[in-house]
Amino acid sequence: MKQLNKQKTQNYIFAYSILIPIMALFTIIRFYPIISTFITSFYKKSMIRPGQTFIGLENYIYVLKDPEFLKAFGNTAFIAFFSVVLSVIFGLFLAVKVNGKSIKGMSIFQTLLFLPVIVSMVPATLMWQLLFDFNVGAINYILKAMSLKPVNWINDIRIVRWPIIIISVWKEMGYNMMIFYVGLKAINKELYESADMDGANGWQKFRYITVPQLKPVTLFVSVISIIKFVKVFTQAIVLTSGSQSAGNILKTAVYYIYQQGFALHSMGRASAASIILLVIVLVLTWLQMMISKEKD
């Protein structure tokens, strides 16, 4: 008995000796910057001048009243909403198609679908920038071939959000597909066999078996997608910068934070905007989890 207790104690010591350094590193990398940003949000602090002055909630009031932030947040909300919905739908659709087929070479097809996930966002956006180019882009060339009017995808503020949504969905739907694919493999096949015996068609099996069984996976994918797309930055700044565009015509919430901190040197306002964005993401995640529980 003593030997057993000794072995158990040693196991605990071994487990904690591994976990404590990892948790300490995680705290330093993740939690310390959040706490530091939260504290900085209550100060007037410049990137180019030493010192800081406590000003309370002034940074939050300024950001929430700033038309530029409201416009940037509106753009972010629009892009995030459609990107989340479309990437989840297409990810699930592709996962069902891949899971339901036993075709030779399907692994190559899966790799091709997942390939955009591992491509860096900057070269991927530059590639799409060429495709969306008003004068030489392949997309407008196709529109002209169909006797349709070419679209100024990049320079028109009313349209430019859609190319960013397309890039974001193209980039992430392969990741969502793989997560859904794993979830589909975990569904008991006997459920589908019973449905076949009852004469259920493909849509009925999808609606009453696949979708309910994938609820936890769908929640995970949705939450991860919200976090990713609310932070949209690279697509917007790369697509709307350079000689092919009017120059940063579309601002997102993260771009606003970057602009306040590194262009206007106001780290207090940048920190306040960051905390506001963090709270919004947490609230959206909480609401999604509550809705999912109510449906269960």
Side-chain angles (χ1 to χ4, degrees):
M1 189 68 179
K2 288 183 179 180
Q3 186 68 25
L4 185 63
N5 289 333
K6 186 179 179 181
Q7 182 64 38
K8 192 175 181 180
T9 303
Q10 289 176 345
N11 291 339
Y12 275 118
I13 293 172
F14 175 75
Y16 282 115
S17 65
I18 294 175
L19 286 174
I20 289 173
I22 295 173
M23 292 304 297
L25 184 63
F26 183 82
T27 302
I28 293 170
I29 294 174
R30 292 290 184 181
F31 289 106
Y32 175 75
I34 294 174
I35 295 170
S36 178
T37 301
F38 180 71
I39 294 171
T40 303
S41 68
F42 295 103
Y43 286 85
K44 183 179 181 181
K45 184 176 180 180
S46 173
M47 284 281 291
I48 58 176
R49 290 187 294 272
Q52 57 185 17
T53 306
F54 181 79
I55 56 174
L57 296 174
E58 285 187 25
N59 288 325
Y60 288 95
I61 295 171
Y62 176 88
V63 170
L64 292 173
K65 287 185 176 180
D66 188 1
E68 289 297 313
F69 175 76
L70 299 178
K71 187 187 298 182
F73 179 74
N75 290 331
T76 301
F78 184 91
I79 293 169
F81 175 78
F82 285 101
S83 297
V84 169
V85 172
L86 294 175
S87 65
V88 170
I89 291 174
F90 281 120
L92 178 57
F93 173 79
L94 292 173
V96 171
K97 290 298 180 183
V98 170
N99 183 60
K101 304 291 183 182
S102 56
I103 302 173
K104 187 178 180 181
M106 182 56 73
S107 59
I108 297 174
F109 182 62
Q110 290 174 325
T111 303
L112 291 175
L113 289 172
F114 190 76
L115 194 60
V117 179
I118 62 176
V119 177
S120 178
M121 183 59 79
V122 173
T125 306
L126 289 173
M127 177 194 73
W128 280 98
Q129 188 183 56
L130 291 173
L131 293 174
F132 283 115
D133 186 89
F134 181 75
N135 297 311
V136 298
I139 295 175
N140 275 345
Y141 179 82
I142 294 171
L143 292 177
K144 289 178 184 178
M146 297 171 63
S147 300
L148 296 174
K149 187 178 179 181
V151 178
N152 196 354
W153 298 99
I154 297 175
N155 294 330
D156 193 336
I157 187 62
R158 299 168 299 176
I159 301 173
V160 69
R161 292 183 294 187
W162 286 107
I164 294 173
I165 292 169
I166 292 170
I167 296 169
S168 302
V169 173
W170 171 82
K171 186 80 168 61
E172 296 298 332
M173 68 180 183
Y175 174 83
N176 292 348
M177 177 198 70
M178 294 306 297
I179 301 298
F180 279 123
Y181 180 73
V182 174
L184 288 170
K185 290 296 183 184
I187 298 176
N188 192 341
K189 292 182 179 180
E190 292 181 359
L191 296 173
Y192 293 106
E193 292 173 358
S194 299
D196 288 331
M197 292 176 64
D198 292 335
N201 57 36
W203 168 250
Q204 289 171 330
K205 287 188 287 186
F206 175 77
R207 181 180 177 183
Y208 295 108
I209 298 176
T210 304
V211 173
Q213 292 293 317
L214 285 178
K215 273 188 178 179
V217 179
T218 305
L219 176 62
F220 171 79
V221 170
S222 300
V223 170
I224 293 297
S225 297
I226 288 174
I227 294 171
K228 286 180 181 178
F229 294 130
V230 165
K231 297 187 298 182
V232 61
F233 172 73
T234 306
Q235 305 95 301
I237 197 170
V238 173
L239 189 70
T240 62
S241 297
S243 58
Q244 299 183 57
S245 71
N248 301 127
I249 63 171
L250 182 77
K251 292 182 180 179
T252 62
V254 175
Y255 181 83
Y256 177 88
I257 294 168
Y258 162 79
Q259 189 179 46
Q260 287 293 327
F262 297 97
L264 302 178
H265 309 295
S266 178
M267 292 306 296
R269 292 173 184 173
S271 298
S274 300
I275 296 300
I276 292 170
L277 190 62
L278 173 63
V279 171
I280 291 169
V281 172
L282 291 175
V283 170
L284 289 174
T285 302
W286 177 78
L287 286 174
Q288 201 163 15
M289 293 179 71
M290 292 299 103
I291 292 170
S292 179
K293 285 183 179 180
E294 286 179 5
K295 288 182 178 180
D296 290 341

